[in-house]
Amino acid sequence: MVCNPSDIITIRAVEYYRVLFLCCPRLSVQPFVKALCDIHSVPFKPYLREQFSICFDVYLSILAETKTRVNRVLGRDGANWRVANTCAACQYHLAGEEKLKFSMMGCMDGNDSLKRVQRKSSGVDNLGNVLVGAGPSHKRIDSRTGGGTYFLSREEVDRFARPSLQNNAAMLSAEDSPCAPRWKNMSDKLTASMWAIFEETGLFLSLCRHRFVLLAADMVKSGEQYVLSSLFVFTPMLMERRSKYALAIVDRLIDVLGEDLALGYNLGCGFAVTVGKSSLGPKAKDKRYVSLVGTFHGHAHARLCQTEHLGTYIEGNGLEDSEGCERFFSKSNALASSVRYSSSFHRQQAIGAYFEHNDDFETWPNLVKFLENNYKQALEILRDVPVLQVEMYELGITSETTFCQWLEEEKEYLKSLKKEPLEETLQMEYYRKLEALFTAEKDLTTANHAWIMYTPASLPSKGPDPTRRLETDRRHALEARGDLKTHVRMLEQQLGITERWTPGTEQWEKTKKMVSSATYQRAVDKLEGLVVARLFELTKMNMSGTGYKLRKHMGQALKSRSQAIRTALDQYNAAAASLKPPKPALTWEQIVECTFLSDFDLLCDTREDIRERPWSRPRERKAMDRYFKVLRACEEIKCLNIEIRRVATFLHNEDVFLRRRETEVAADNPALSHQIELHRRCRGHYNTNFWSQLLKITKLLGFTGTLLCGVGPLSAQVEKSSSGPSLDNPTVEPDEDEDEDDEGNDDEDFVQAMRVMEVVGRSE
């Protein structure tokens, strides 16, 4: 049988699309196929798009199977092998190296950009009206799974859904986390209609500290409507709905990576409580899992939360900011348009391919540069040690342990402010009701006096009768006094008061002071909330990707916000002046320059005057912050010295190991050996640059590490060979078979790819 195909799609064309898509995730199939048709002078037909998509799926399946076979012969085909070996700096442990506080550090967060529309057919309501998109889903059943080893299955995630296991990680309160009541989420009514059209509502991601992807999970629409949240929102409801994804990721990472794992999360303080209350709690405690708060998001958390979860105050954190997910999402958001209307399989396929490409061609090539930049940053901070010593001398501080003692004192002080005593709350309520009762009695007396002043002779002969209004005012004043008397009697019974308080008595004056303090604290809270909104709006306005219309809208919001802040500032200063002794007033300049919201926490209490405590004074606090930065910089140097040696050892061992396996397999399976060679070239393409950068790090003034290779997991499997880099010759020579013809073909392919991109740009 002779086959005469009318259309031929070459492997080179499919590879072009794969590479171009990874470089430009917004590129969809149709404009690319149109560009190919234009180049080859072929009329575009809609069916060509479907044929190309099928060919592309087949091509990716071939690549995936090839990679599976290569990994199998290399002994890297386990389900968790990639997670356990994704980052050489984090996970290539060497024999005899110093143990770090955390065996691995990373971050995790959710993002709602990579949503997928749920395609539904039309439905009919009880009255027979046709409702578009209200019927059952009409997507084609596709049992394939995409994303490789990057994605957790929905079964793994649903194990931590609260209804299934009855986890106790329900609504968090202020007693669980000081940040729980600080922020308000957006209303379900504002978002329910929008989120109803999506099946996957986003992506939950975890990265190591060097930005390699560890695990991801699809955030899906559950029976309980998912609520849109901004970057800085913290609510018990949000914590509950996202916790199952974070719990599932932490569970897998603990199983694979073991003890002393630390992950940063913008809701890390509440998540720590959630982990402890969940079924994962005993395992996490046994493996010493630590939940951190990212440095950027930490600005919006309570000071007590910062002292317990912010990396600046966590031993072993180094200079890690735990904000890698935000940087990653700023790039991966480009995928949104291409996966919004795809199938579930193709969505995961595209995201998984992007993860792999990002790890191999962005994160891996920049790994040593990351280590170099962190080393420079740490050395720059350590240059402040003489400044710190001068400050300690001027402040009369003889030991660095004083700063740690101050931090503990501040923590204990803030813990004592978590909740007002119930008796004080009732006393203040009783005082307010008494004040209102006395005012109501005066109003009633005035109303009675005005009402009895009228007599039949004094009533006007024409016009409305004024006594009706006076009688209504008198009745309202009488009812108000009666209601207040009832409340006062109830509070007297609760407090056991036998004799009613009157102005001027000791208890009256004491409670009056407490009420003034409460009024002051409400003024502080209001001012803080407005400053929070202002900071977040300024951050978003200066963020790349913010459009003109949004900037204009936010500019108007900031203009009105400034007036609201001025009003709140006046209220705060009035409340501060009414205290005895008065609190210091704040100026507009102090407010607009505020960048660290935790300072508001030190204004919130008046039961105890803390102005004389050293850790509450600006100069002492500045010295304390400098000390902890220096301390973390020392830890970062220690960590980087270990990671740099790990990377150097891995570069040598990996190259020798792959060359040996390539030679061993060549005798029985030349084709597979060739694939191992391609894999080695891909991994070793950057080795020359790596060794150059590593040598550059050793020349930094203050470098204390070494590039001498240690004994790693691959050391026992590699044979002594002169091939590969070393300290005497830290370069990788090009392979002999990489001749000029190959380079010419690469240039030709590059020019052809650029032509496709140019045509695609015109078609879009």
Side-chain angles (χ1 to χ4, degrees):
M1 179 177 179
V2 179
C3 180
N4 296 313
S6 59
D7 304 302
I8 298 177
I9 300 175
T10 65
I11 293 179
R12 175 172 292 185
V14 186
E15 174 63 11
Y16 280 161
Y17 177 72
R18 187 185 73 86
V19 175
L20 292 176
F21 174 78
L22 293 174
C23 297
C24 181
R26 293 185 178 89
L27 177 64
S28 59
V29 172
Q30 183 161 319
F32 180 81
V33 175
K34 284 184 177 180
L36 288 180
C37 292
D38 292 342
I39 289 175
H40 295 285
S41 300
V42 175
F44 173 76
K45 302 294 183 181
Y47 72 88
L48 292 175
R49 177 188 179 281
E50 299 298 328
Q51 290 187 351
F52 187 88
S53 296
I54 294 172
C55 290
F56 186 62
D57 283 350
V58 173
Y59 179 67
L60 291 182
S61 298
I62 294 173
L63 293 182
E65 177 62 24
T66 302
K67 184 177 181 180
T68 299
R69 295 188 181 187
V70 170
N71 288 337
R72 186 181 300 121
V73 77
L74 294 177
R76 301 174 176 180
D77 56 337
N80 293 318
W81 189 91
R82 184 195 59 79
V83 179
N85 299 273
T86 189
C87 177
C90 289
Q91 299 166 311
Y92 199 71
H93 298 282
L94 305 180
E97 67 181 10
E98 186 176 357
K99 182 177 175 59
L100 296 173
K101 171 72 173 180
F102 300 118
S103 62
M104 185 172 185
M105 298 188 66
C107 56
M108 58 182 177
D109 196 8
N111 178 267
D112 53 33
S113 295
L114 300 182
K115 302 181 288 290
R116 188 180 70 85
V117 171
Q118 184 180 23
R119 299 183 179 181
K120 288 187 174 184
S121 59
S122 299
V124 180
D125 62 10
N126 297 332
L127 300 178
N129 300 318
V130 178
L131 301 177
V132 179
S137 174
H138 62 69
K139 72 175 184 178
R140 185 182 65 183
I141 298 177
D142 192 343
S143 59
R144 295 175 297 174
T145 57
T149 59
Y150 287 100
F151 281 84
L152 294 175
S153 66
R154 293 194 179 181
E155 290 76 15
E156 286 183 89
V157 174
D158 289 339
R159 285 175 48 227
F160 293 94
R162 190 165 57 89
S164 61
L165 283 184
Q166 296 182 350
N167 286 326
N168 294 323
M171 307 297 281
L172 299 179
S173 65
E175 295 183 0
D176 294 321
S177 171
C179 295
R182 288 171 74 90
W183 315 117
K184 293 183 179 179
N185 206 351
M186 296 183 68
S187 171
D188 288 351
K189 296 180 181 178
L190 300 178
T191 57
S193 59
M194 180 185 69
W195 287 95
I197 67 173
F198 299 110
E199 185 160 343
E200 286 93 8
T201 58
L203 189 73
F204 203 93
L205 180 70
S206 61
L207 308 173
C208 78
R209 96 182 195 107
H210 304 95
R211 315 300 181 246
F212 286 94
V213 179
L214 296 175
L215 289 171
D218 281 323
M219 294 195 295
V220 298
K221 182 178 63 180
S222 59
E224 195 173 21
Q225 180 61 48
Y226 184 86
V227 180
L228 177 66
S229 62
S230 69
L231 185 63
F232 304 97
V233 167
F234 180 95
T235 61
M237 183 178 296
L238 175 62
M239 189 72 254
E240 181 183 0
R241 286 170 178 168
R242 284 197 173 185
S243 62
K244 67 176 183 178
Y245 307 107
L247 288 170
I249 285 178
V250 170
D251 181 58
R252 172 77 82 85
L253 291 180
I254 290 178
D255 288 341
V256 176
L257 304 178
E259 301 175 339
D260 300 320
L261 177 66
L263 291 179
Y265 185 23
N266 55 0
L267 310 178
C269 54
F271 182 66
V273 180
T274 300
V275 171
K277 290 186 175 183
S278 71
S279 57
L280 181 61
K283 180 196 293 186
K285 183 178 180 181
D286 181 61
K287 298 296 184 179
R288 297 185 295 279
Y289 167 76
V290 176
S291 181
L292 305 176
V293 172
T295 303
F296 176 60
H297 291 89
H299 283 62
H301 285 248
R303 177 62 180 174
L304 177 59
C305 167
Q306 293 175 2
T307 60
E308 295 179 336
H309 298 282
L310 192 64
T312 306
Y313 305 109
I314 302 299
E315 180 186 356
N317 181 80
L319 298 181
E320 174 57 29
D321 60 8
S322 300
E323 296 289 357
C325 289
E326 306 305 330
R327 302 183 184 92
F328 187 92
F329 288 140
S330 69
K331 297 184 297 181
S332 67
N333 286 345
L335 279 170
S337 59
S338 59
V339 302
R340 187 65 50 82
Y341 296 98
S342 63
S343 67
S344 180
F345 165 74
H346 286 104
R347 174 180 172 275
Q348 280 197 351
Q349 182 188 70
I351 296 174
Y354 180 82
F355 286 166
E356 185 175 356
H357 177 269
N358 185 79
D359 284 348
D360 291 342
F361 297 102
E362 290 193 40
T363 309
W364 172 249
N366 292 313
L367 175 60
V368 180
K369 189 65 177 177
F370 176 95
L371 301 176
E372 179 186 359
N373 290 339
N374 276 31
Y375 218 109
K376 290 180 178 178
Q377 182 184 3
L379 292 175
E380 185 67 26
I381 294 175
L382 291 180
R383 293 191 180 97
D384 286 343
V385 171
V387 179
L388 176 62
Q389 293 173 343
V390 171
E391 289 180 338
M392 292 176 62
Y393 175 78
E394 293 177 349
L395 294 172
I397 301 173
T398 58
S399 174
E400 295 177 350
T401 58
T402 303
F403 295 115
C404 297
Q405 294 173 0
W406 286 358
L407 184 65
E408 289 300 319
E409 288 180 13
E410 182 182 359
K411 188 185 302 185
E412 293 302 320
Y413 167 75
L414 293 172
K415 285 181 178 179
S416 67
L417 308 181
K418 292 179 69 174
K419 188 176 181 180
E420 289 182 348
L422 177 60
E423 185 176 1
E424 289 186 8
T425 304
L426 292 175
Q427 288 174 351
M428 288 189 291
E429 180 67 16
Y430 179 62
Y431 171 84
R432 294 189 183 99
K433 293 299 182 183
L434 279 180
E435 274 196 327
L437 177 60
F438 296 154
T439 302
E441 288 177 344
K442 292 180 181 179
D443 293 341
L444 180 58
T445 301
T446 302
N448 284 334
H449 180 72
W451 183 72
I452 63 176
M453 289 295 294
Y454 281 96
T455 63
S458 63
L459 291 175
S461 58
K462 295 181 180 181
D465 185 0
T467 58
R468 289 188 178 182
R469 180 180 58 81
L470 294 174
E471 174 59 26
T472 300
D473 293 343
R474 176 178 173 275
R475 176 167 51 83
H476 287 170
L478 189 62
E479 290 174 353
R481 186 189 66 170
D483 292 341
L484 288 169
K485 277 188 174 183
T486 302
H487 285 295
V488 167
R489 283 195 295 267
M490 291 174 59
L491 290 170
E492 286 175 346
Q493 290 177 357
Q494 287 182 281
L495 292 169
I497 297 176
T498 57
E499 184 177 351
R500 184 164 296 175
W501 296 353
T502 57
T505 60
E506 179 183 356
Q507 195 63 37
W508 177 278
E509 296 300 326
K510 179 181 177 181
T511 309
K512 180 180 179 180
K513 182 179 178 181
M514 287 194 295
V515 171
S516 299
S517 301
T519 303
Y520 165 81
Q521 291 174 14
R522 283 195 296 271
V524 171
D525 292 339
K526 182 178 180 180
L527 184 60
E528 178 187 14
L530 292 171
V531 173
V532 168
R534 178 181 180 275
L535 284 175
F536 294 164
E537 287 167 350
L538 284 173
T539 302
K540 179 61 179 176
M541 179 174 283
N542 295 322
M543 191 179 296
S544 61
T546 304
Y548 169 76
K549 290 185 178 180
L550 183 56
R551 291 179 191 271
K552 186 176 180 181
H553 171 74
M554 295 179 70
Q556 294 294 329
L558 284 170
K559 185 176 180 181
S560 59
R561 183 88 61 201
S562 297
Q563 184 57 46
I565 292 177
R566 289 183 183 276
T567 302
L569 180 61
D570 292 339
Q571 295 173 352
Y572 164 82
N573 287 332
S578 66
L579 298 176
K580 294 181 181 179
K583 283 278 186 176
L586 294 178
T587 63
W588 172 254
E589 288 73 18
Q590 290 174 304
I591 291 299
V592 296
E593 293 176 1
C594 176
T595 57
F596 209 67
L597 301 179
S598 61
D599 293 336
F600 277 94
D601 291 347
L602 300 181
L603 304 174
C604 290
D605 183 67
T606 55
R607 291 193 213 114
E608 181 182 355
D609 190 356
I610 61 169
R611 288 175 294 179
E612 297 304 319
R613 295 200 182 187
W615 47 264
S616 68
R617 294 193 290 264
R619 190 178 181 188
E620 282 80 351
R621 290 185 67 78
K622 184 178 180 181
M624 183 170 67
D625 290 341
R626 191 188 302 276
Y627 164 74
F628 281 108
K629 285 183 180 179
V630 169
L631 195 62
R632 299 288 85 84
C634 293
E635 295 172 352
E636 183 71 14
I637 293 290
K638 174 183 174 182
C639 179
L640 289 172
N641 286 338
I642 294 175
E643 291 177 346
I644 288 170
R645 193 183 184 204
R646 287 176 181 173
V647 172
T649 305
F650 175 80
L651 291 175
H652 175 263
N653 289 357
E654 175 79 350
D655 185 73
V656 176
F657 170 72
L658 291 178
R659 289 178 183 272
R660 186 173 68 86
R661 293 298 295 152
E662 177 186 333
T663 303
E664 293 173 350
V665 175
D668 299 327
N669 196 333
L672 187 57
S673 175
H674 177 65
Q675 294 300 323
I676 298 176
E677 178 188 3
L678 295 179
H679 174 71
R680 175 178 58 79
R681 289 185 182 182
C682 179
R683 294 294 291 180
H685 181 74
Y686 306 98
N687 283 6
T688 301
N689 188 44
F690 282 166
W691 283 104
S692 175
Q693 290 178 329
L694 287 172
L695 289 174
K696 185 178 178 182
I697 295 176
T698 63
K699 297 177 182 179
L700 292 175
L701 184 62
F703 178 75
T704 56
T706 178
L707 292 185
L708 291 175
C709 291
V711 179
L714 291 176
S715 298
Q717 303 180 43
V718 300
E719 298 176 350
K720 292 184 178 180
S721 174
S722 59
S723 63
S726 64
L727 285 176
D728 297 329
N729 183 28
T731 60
V732 177
E733 299 295 335
D735 291 308
E736 295 179 358
D737 54 353
E738 292 182 355
D739 52 21
E740 296 180 357
D741 293 336
D742 290 338
E743 294 179 358
N745 292 334
D746 291 341
D747 292 340
E748 180 182 348
D749 292 346
F750 178 77
V751 172
Q752 183 73 0
M754 290 302 100
R755 288 183 58 200
V756 174
M757 281 294 291
E758 182 180 357
V759 177
V760 169
R762 291 200 301 267
S763 64
E764 289 183 326

